Amino acid sequence: MVIFMNKDKQHILSLLEQVLDPEVPVLSVIDLGIVRDVNTDDDAVEVKITPTYSGCPAMDIIISEISATLLQHGFKSVTVTSLLSPAWTTDWMTEAGKEKLRAYGIAPPHPTQAVCNIQMVAAAEAVQCPHCGSYRSQVISQFGSTACKALYKCNDCLEPFDYFKCH
């Protein structure tokens, strides 16, 4: 996670906590880890973000919401710049964000990209059910309600659930 030192930047970050992902509305752009930097100059602000993946349909809405939120709080000029490198990874998500996913009924991504790469090779990855906590789950579809999620079913409580795929 990027650490900002300027008091104005801390205020902006607290405002960005209000900007929610339209596809997973329990996560803010801060929880997702897509905010890479914030620059201020008087009443102007630039927010640099990295999309969760190239072509994510939510990015246009997120950019609009970031701009609207900051304009509503007195900034006269807002620029949102998309950075494609380095590519976003689920490692940038906050632990609080991962807990919010679990509470919402979505299994959070595994903790490290290395684990994700190993599991992509494995025939079936052990994903913990967000409902009962069991690791006895099976993939139903590589694509869930959005392209960034896979659909799983718990073999213990029999509930279906989304898994936020690591990448």
Side-chain angles (χ1 to χ4, degrees), residues 7 17 40 42 44-45 57 62 76 88 98 117 121 153-154 160:
K7 181 179 173 185
E17 284 280 359
T40 59
D42 295 323
V45 63
I62 289 171
K76 304 294 182 214
W88 179 84
K98 291 175 184 178
N117 291 337
V121 174
K153 177 184 172 188
C154 179

Side-chain angles (χ1 to χ4, degrees), residues 63-81:
I63 290 169
S64 294
E65 289 297 316
I66 288 172
S67 296
T69 298
L70 295 176
L71 289 169
Q72 289 170 359
H73 284 87
F75 290 95
K76 304 294 182 214
S77 172
V78 177
T79 304
V80 181
T81 304

Side-chain angles (χ1 to χ4, degrees), residues 54-109:
S54 172
C56 175
M59 290 313 296
D60 288 340
I61 295 169
I62 289 171
I63 290 169
S64 294
E65 289 297 316
I66 288 172
S67 296
T69 298
L70 295 176
L71 289 169
Q72 289 170 359
H73 284 87
F75 290 95
K76 304 294 182 214
S77 172
V78 177
T79 304
V80 181
T81 304
S82 291
L83 305 173
L84 299 179
S85 180
W88 179 84
T89 170
T90 50
D91 290 344
W92 294 356
M93 292 178 74
T94 66
E95 288 305 312
K98 291 175 184 178
E99 286 306 312
K100 289 176 185 177
L101 279 176
R102 185 177 284 106
Y104 192 62
I106 298 173

Side-chain angles (χ1 to χ4, degrees), residues 115-151:
V115 170
C116 294
N117 291 337
I118 290 167
Q119 290 173 339
M120 285 180 185
V121 174
E125 59 184 291
V127 173
Q128 186 178 23
C129 173
H131 305 294
C132 74
S134 171
Y135 280 95
R136 290 182 9 91
S137 62
Q138 66 187 60
V139 65
I140 302 300
S141 173
Q142 286 298 327
F143 298 98
S145 59
T146 62
C148 61
K149 293 180 279 200
L151 182 61

